[in-house]
Amino acid sequence: MSHQDLTAAEVERRMADAVQAEEQGRYREATNLYDQLGKDIQARHGRFDSRALDAFEGVARAIRKGAEDEGAR
């Protein structure tokens, strides 16, 4: 995907994919999806774009949930 292809609709679709993975307990996949999306947003729209920050918050949340899930086993 080129940087020009990162439309608002594409960001929303990719964020929804990451949320779905997180909700289904696929935390490692969710972390990777959030992380790559955040990096792509920063490359196209700037380092402090709020959507990138949201994606990186998703990384932290998925890591926390994954750790909590592992601790419950």
Side-chain angles (χ1 to χ4, degrees):
M1 170 184 302
S2 72
H3 294 303
Q4 287 93 4
D5 296 331
L6 194 60
T7 63
E10 180 67 9
V11 169
E12 288 179 28
R13 183 195 65 76
R14 290 175 60 188
M15 185 67 82
D17 289 346
V19 168
Q20 183 178 27
E22 182 182 349
E23 289 173 348
Q24 293 176 349
R26 300 186 331 259
Y27 302 116
R28 186 176 305 266
E29 179 183 349
T31 298
N32 291 332
L33 291 170
Y34 283 127
D35 185 56
Q36 188 59 57
L37 177 58
K39 289 175 182 176
D40 291 347
I41 291 169
Q42 284 183 324
R44 177 67 175 117
H45 299 285
R47 185 172 171 197
F48 299 109
D49 187 286
S50 64
R51 297 168 300 174
L53 299 175
D54 290 344
F56 292 131
E57 286 177 1
V59 170
R61 186 178 55 248
I63 290 170
R64 178 185 48 84
K65 286 181 177 180
E68 289 173 352
D69 191 46
E70 282 294 316
R73 292 181 188 184

